[in-house]
Amino acid sequence: MLLQQQQELENHYLMDTYKRKPVAFVKGEGMRLYDEDGTEYLDFLAGVGAASLGYGNAQQVQAMQEQVAKLVHASNYYYVEGRGELAEKLNNLLNENPGATRKELWKTFFANSGTEAIEGAIKIARKYGAKHLEGADTIITARRSFHGRTLAALAATGQPSKQEAFQPLPEGFKHVDLNDIPAIKQALNQGVGCINACAVLLECVQGEGGVYPCTEEYLQTVRELPAAKGILLIIDEVQTGFYRTGSHPFAFQHYGIVPDVVAMAKGIGGGMPMGAVAARGVAAAVFEPGDHGSTFGGNSLAITAANATLDGLQKMDAAGHVAEVGAYLMQRLRELPGVVEIRGKGLMVGVEFEKAVAEQIVAA
Ligand code: PLP
């Protein structure tokens, strides 16, 4: 009844932006979802990477219930209980970096989604370029990347099929092939198209583009070259962050590099809408009052959810757990017939099947 009712109403009153599967969930527990008939589903989508603690985590539920009763939202004109602590936790997680020789001070802006985190990062890069790089304004990103759906995030995204209908998009983005060192060297050296770069923006493991990890050599080169010119390195950890790739809180920490700016979302809120952009060094001091803002970003309920999520991830040893079950998943996937390639890190895993097999799997 619920499904039929929702299908009728949603098909009539919602814009047609998703090809939805014919199911409506009413309950979740751990990694299981249930429809109204009580049919149980093993969920491998995790709310598109957002349900980092699984569903119905007791501590998160209790913390959020108590917070709802106390205060949901008051606004960014005031200080918010738990927000400084959350930013401190992020600072500590960003510093859990085997490649770093010293601790950095990471400063955070809280938003509501990944695309907003990326918008914040783009604005930091543009203002940084204006102030510190004689007006350099181009952001170099990768082909096949995905950075979000707002216009600037879409312009940063390296997928023409998603961009075509929405021209003109904001200017100042240049796309290069991922893992092509000569191409990024050429772009940074202004070899093509008069590039005047203020930042490079990359996912360590491209997610929506098909689960393509950066090679170590590539990311290390991309760290060194821009740094020498004062160009910022922005890492999009929206999908890879919060232990998704195992062993470390963030994917960049597998590569022994330290970015200047990190965009985060999805897993940070354990299902609550939240995004965050963190920056260190000069980039952390770019924004001044009035430069950026959000009505809801970092409000009391979102902060409570995120604090409970990060505490929960520590408690369950997500770093070790994801590495362990991720390795097991990869090993068992390799035993399957019809597999062309398995790519990824931790529990961010993509399987490329032979075409005929892939069609059967999607249908099933
Ligand atoms: N960046 C990456 C790498 C993503 O995977 C996504 C979403 O899938 C986004 C940005 C946009 O995040 P959101 O959908 O929360 O706006």
Side-chain angles (χ1 to χ4, degrees):
M1 187 55 205
L2 170 74
L3 176 62
Q4 196 192 338
Q5 188 191 21
Q6 284 309 309
Q7 279 179 316
E8 278 168 22
L9 287 170
E10 292 194 15
N11 292 346
H12 192 65
Y13 288 111
L14 262 67
M15 289 187 193
D16 195 16
T17 52
Y18 283 89
K19 281 192 191 134
R20 294 196 167 83
K21 307 281 178 281
V23 58
F25 295 114
V26 294
K27 203 177 76 169
E29 268 174 26
M31 78 165 292
R32 290 176 161 77
L33 284 169
Y34 300 85
D35 66 16
E36 64 170 335
D37 302 324
T39 307
E40 184 181 288
Y41 295 78
L42 270 179
D43 175 31
F44 284 82
L45 193 63
V48 198
S52 47
L53 283 180
Y55 300 107
N57 175 275
Q59 280 90 26
Q60 193 201 22
V61 169
Q62 192 188 344
M64 288 179 71
Q65 281 174 337
E66 286 170 10
Q67 190 59 48
V68 167
K70 274 196 332 189
L71 180 67
V72 170
H73 172 81
S75 96
N76 276 313
Y77 292 117
Y78 313 108
Y79 290 86
V80 170
E81 187 180 4
R83 191 161 59 192
E85 287 83 345
L86 180 62
E88 187 181 22
K89 281 178 198 162
L90 291 180
N91 170 76
N92 296 343
L93 292 178
L94 288 159
N95 272 306
E96 271 184 36
N97 198 339
T101 47
R102 60 189 169 98
K103 297 270 181 236
E104 303 287 341
L105 173 60
W106 290 89
K107 287 178 174 263
T108 297
F109 174 88
F110 288 108
N112 308 284
S113 66
T115 201
E116 279 181 56
I118 290 291
E119 290 282 333
I122 291 169
K123 283 177 71 175
I124 290 172
R126 287 276 164 74
K127 194 170 174 199
Y128 173 89
K131 245 178 127 173
H132 301 288
L133 294 176
E134 296 171 11
D137 58 10
T138 297
I139 298 175
I140 300 173
T141 77
R143 295 207 174 88
R144 237 179 14 211
S145 61
F146 184 81
H147 297 293
R149 302 278 188 174
T150 54
L151 289 177
L154 189 60
T157 290
Q159 299 188 41
S161 63
K162 291 192 165 59
Q163 299 168 326
E164 269 152 23
F166 305 102
Q167 304 291 342
L169 293 176
E171 292 176 358
F173 295 90
K174 159 84 190 162
H175 298 99
V176 293
D177 285 339
L178 191 73
N179 290 333
D180 183 340
I181 292 175
I184 194 133
K185 274 191 181 160
Q186 197 183 21
L188 286 166
N189 289 330
Q190 308 190 1
V192 273
C194 293
I195 293 193
N196 202 1
C198 60
V200 176
L201 164 62
L202 288 174
E203 298 156 87
C204 295
V205 183
Q206 288 188 334
E208 302 295 300
V211 190
Y212 287 96
C214 288
T215 63
E216 263 185 37
E217 191 192 359
Y218 184 72
L219 216 49
Q220 281 162 7
T221 309
V222 168
R223 173 63 284 184
E224 281 156 24
L225 283 178
K229 292 168 178 284
I231 295 170
L232 297 180
L233 175 61
I234 306 168
I235 295 291
D236 181 341
E237 293 271 0
V238 167
Q239 185 149 174
T240 47
F242 304 101
Y243 304 101
R244 179 83 187 278
T245 60
S247 306
H248 306 293
F250 296 101
F252 73 79
Q253 293 161 339
H254 290 279
Y255 291 85
I257 59 150
V258 187
D260 302 294
V261 180
V262 178
M264 302 163 249
K266 292 196 191 273
I268 190 176
M272 268 296 286
M274 175 173 262
V277 58
R280 66 178 178 103
V282 182
V286 163
F287 280 159
E288 294 164 288
D291 276 343
H292 200 46
S294 167
T295 296
F296 292 119
N299 80 6
S300 300
L301 186 58
I303 292 294
T304 302
N307 269 318
T309 302
L310 297 193
D311 293 348
L313 289 169
Q314 298 293 334
K315 204 170 147 197
M316 70 180 277
D317 180 28
H321 178 70
V322 173
E324 187 189 336
V325 296
Y328 177 74
L329 177 64
M330 283 243 195
Q331 178 206 322
R332 298 305 303 270
L333 286 170
R334 279 196 195 100
E335 293 165 14
L336 293 180
V339 170
V340 177
E341 197 181 16
I342 299 163
R343 297 184 291 265
K345 272 188 200 302
L347 279 176
M348 187 150 169
V349 177
V351 189
E352 199 171 315
F353 290 101
E354 289 162 11
K355 195 164 183 290
V357 179
E359 280 163 5
Q360 285 170 32
I361 290 172
V362 171

